[in-house]
Amino acid sequence: MSYETLQDNSGKLQKEMSRKALLGSTVGTIIEWYDFFLYATASALIFPKLFFPTTDPYMATILSFATLATGFLARPLGAAIFGHFGDRIGRKNALVITLWIIGISSTLIGLLPTYNTVAIWAPIMLITLRILQGIGVGGEWAGAILLSMEWGNRKKKGFSASIPNAGVGAGMLLSSGAVGLCISLTGDSFYVWGWRIPFLISFILLIAGVIIRKRITETPSFQRVTEGNQVAKTPILEVLKHYPKQILFVGMAKFSEHIPNSVFSIFMISYVTGSFSISPSYMVNLNTFTSFLMCFTIPFFGYLSDKVGIKRLYMTGIIANLIWVFPYIAFINTKAPIIIAIATIIFVFTHNVQAGAQPALVAQAFPARLRYSGAALGTQVASVFAGGIAPMVCAYLIHSTGTLYSIGVYVAVAAIIGSIGTAFLKNLSSNSVTNTKEDHLGSLNTNVNS
């Protein structure tokens, strides 16, 4: 076979596998983040009443958000476990396992007895399942963006890596839509049994996601690492030894994106419905609309990052977030539903600038042989502080200071930390196995012959 024919066949195979990888990574991400945001919404609206009914409303909210935080605490463990397997046995295999863990955990939450039935065992079982869910999520995000980026067009890394991140918005959209629909259909019965329906749907989504991901072939980048006998024996230990600063800077960059997301998608639902005369369904529907916007704006900003520079766009998003956060708080304080909606939508846009550029920014911070471990560890350790405890911190700040502007300060500090981390973060994606055209074609032919 001539080189031209080989190149042409490999190009077609590359496009086909790229489409499958985009579909598999994004659909899987949608499913896993559907489960995650479903729990987050429930922690704001449902769990305080059903699993912590003997405490005062403030403590019930804190305890409910604490169960949300346990999932974040488990994320670094998931990052270590699946970062190891992702850099040892491949991106695809690790991602199938994470999907099973989160899907089964979420389904079982929908079957849990409440506090009125089994007393203290109810929150204990809830926390246990939440920890398992957190372990799965801890290994999911990095693998999904790598699967998409490493199969995608090398000149469009920002766009390719951003597509699974749009799945986060789609998962939020799906979960918010499911909760909103169940509230409408079940009415007063929502807090009795209606809340269980969205969790039980997870099992159907799980089966669909596993089938799709099973059909994906391992990425060329990981195949080259394998063919070059450069697979790390202990990826987590090696990335900690050789790239500790990169992990730190990735974590700092994550702060400026994750904390605002926790504020507008989790905490504000609880705060606005509890403090103002605004119904939970209104805030859930607002969350649904902003999630819809994320599905399109995140890939757009991923595309834009390839044009203007990934790091440059990410820094632009940080600055936009910093500028808008205090006007956002002022708009929330008006207590007017339409003004709150407008303020939130703008806040989502400033956040999405970062969410579009972040996947490629993080993935390129590590060489291919340690990329899964580095990306997972850097983001998921930070998520404990940037996402896990953020709703509790917000509740504490308002309770202690009596003003919503304290949350604005919290977000502003996160933006400063994020800008420092981003400024010092290096692109190490070239520190890998030689990435020549012949290597790429060889990897593709291995797929054809297997």
Side-chain angles (χ1 to χ4, degrees):
M1 183 181 293
S2 67
Y3 180 83
E4 289 76 14
T5 302
L6 179 64
Q7 186 178 24
D8 182 62
N9 290 340
S10 298
K12 291 179 180 178
L13 184 58
Q14 159 72 19
K15 291 180 180 179
E16 179 184 351
M17 289 297 176
S18 179
R19 286 194 295 267
K20 287 184 178 181
L22 276 174
L23 176 63
S25 59
T26 304
V27 169
T29 302
I30 290 172
I31 294 167
E32 300 209 25
W33 287 96
Y34 164 83
D35 292 334
F36 177 80
F37 283 114
L38 182 60
Y39 189 100
T41 302
S43 69
L45 299 178
I46 302 165
F47 295 156
K49 297 179 177 67
L50 298 182
F51 289 87
F52 307 98
T54 60
T55 58
D56 66 81
Y58 168 69
M59 284 307 301
T61 300
I62 289 292
L63 290 172
S64 181
F65 282 148
T67 67
L68 177 68
T70 58
F72 283 92
L73 291 172
R75 281 192 185 193
L77 177 59
I81 293 172
F82 293 104
H84 173 84
F85 287 119
D87 284 329
R88 289 283 298 167
I89 64 174
R91 289 41 166 147
K92 168 194 167 180
N93 294 324
L95 285 173
V96 171
I97 299 172
T98 63
L99 197 58
W100 274 108
I101 291 175
I102 292 189
I104 293 298
S105 300
S106 188
T107 302
L108 290 177
I109 288 173
L111 299 173
L112 282 180
T114 62
Y115 188 92
N116 290 336
T117 304
V118 294
I120 191 64
W121 287 105
I124 289 175
M125 288 188 286
L126 180 66
I127 291 171
T128 301
L129 291 174
R130 176 60 183 162
I131 290 172
L132 290 175
Q133 195 180 58
I135 290 173
V137 173
E140 159 65 21
W141 186 81
I145 65 169
L146 295 187
L147 192 68
S148 182
M149 189 186 80
E150 291 179 353
W151 264 119
N153 189 317
R154 295 175 192 166
K155 295 181 180 180
K156 300 178 180 178
K157 288 184 177 181
F159 176 72
S160 297
S162 72
I163 298 297
N165 225 24
V168 177
M172 189 189 300
L173 171 65
L174 193 59
S175 67
S176 298
V179 171
L181 182 62
C182 286
I183 290 175
S184 299
L185 294 178
T186 61
D188 293 338
S189 297
F190 178 72
Y191 288 98
V192 180
W193 57 268
W195 67 272
R196 298 180 183 275
I197 298 174
F199 285 96
L200 296 177
I201 291 174
S202 297
F203 188 75
I204 300 173
L205 299 176
L206 164 65
I207 299 303
V210 169
I211 292 173
I212 292 172
R213 278 194 171 170
K214 282 282 189 179
R215 297 177 178 176
I216 304 171
T217 305
E218 192 52 70
T219 71
S221 293
F222 183 75
Q223 289 187 56
R224 285 193 294 273
V225 169
T226 303
E227 292 165 3
N229 295 318
Q230 294 196 17
V231 175
K233 292 182 179 180
T234 54
I236 290 294
L237 295 180
E238 288 192 38
V239 78
L240 285 171
K241 178 181 179 181
H242 297 294
Y243 304 105
K245 291 183 179 179
Q246 289 290 94
I247 293 173
L248 174 63
F249 295 146
V250 163
M252 293 173 67
K254 181 72 174 174
F255 263 61
S256 61
E257 177 270 330
H258 206 152
I259 286 178
N261 184 61
S262 296
V263 170
F264 70 72
S265 68
I266 301 174
F267 176 77
M268 281 303 174
I269 294 179
S270 175
Y271 178 80
V272 170
T273 57
S275 304
F276 308 151
S277 299
I278 297 177
S279 67
S281 61
Y282 180 85
M283 292 304 295
V284 170
N285 289 336
L286 175 59
N287 224 18
T288 301
F289 180 70
T290 57
S291 302
F292 175 77
L293 292 178
M294 291 176 74
C295 298
F296 300 97
T297 54
I298 288 177
F300 169 74
F301 288 121
Y303 168 82
L304 193 60
S305 72
D306 290 318
K307 302 296 182 180
V308 304
I310 293 168
K311 180 183 286 191
R312 182 180 298 171
L313 187 68
Y314 196 78
M315 289 290 277
T316 301
I318 294 176
I319 295 170
N321 224 16
L322 183 60
I323 292 173
W324 178 246
V325 64
F326 289 105
Y328 166 74
I329 298 298
F331 279 22
I332 295 294
N333 276 333
T334 65
K335 305 180 183 181
I338 187 64
I339 295 179
I340 290 174
I342 293 171
T344 302
I345 291 169
I346 296 174
F347 201 18
V348 169
F349 266 96
T350 63
H351 163 268
N352 290 354
V353 176
Q354 296 176 75
Q358 185 185 87
L361 179 76
V362 170
Q364 293 186 132
F366 303 94
R369 64 189 297 270
L370 300 173
R371 188 172 289 158
Y372 202 132
S373 298
L377 202 60
T379 54
Q380 300 312 319
V381 170
S383 73
V384 175
F385 305 98
I389 66 172
M392 287 191 296
V393 171
C394 291
Y396 172 78
L397 287 173
I398 291 180
H399 186 74
S400 300
T401 65
T403 173
L404 202 59
Y405 282 101
S406 59
I407 294 179
V409 174
Y410 180 45
V411 173
V413 170
I416 293 171
I417 292 173
S419 64
I420 295 172
T422 304
F424 285 101
L425 197 60
K426 298 178 181 178
N427 183 344
L428 300 181
S429 59
S430 61
N431 294 10
S432 182
V433 181
T434 303
N435 192 16
T436 64
K437 182 181 293 185
E438 290 75 16
D439 288 335
H440 186 55
L441 294 173
S443 295
L444 292 172
N445 281 310
T446 300
N447 291 333
V448 173
N449 296 327
S450 60

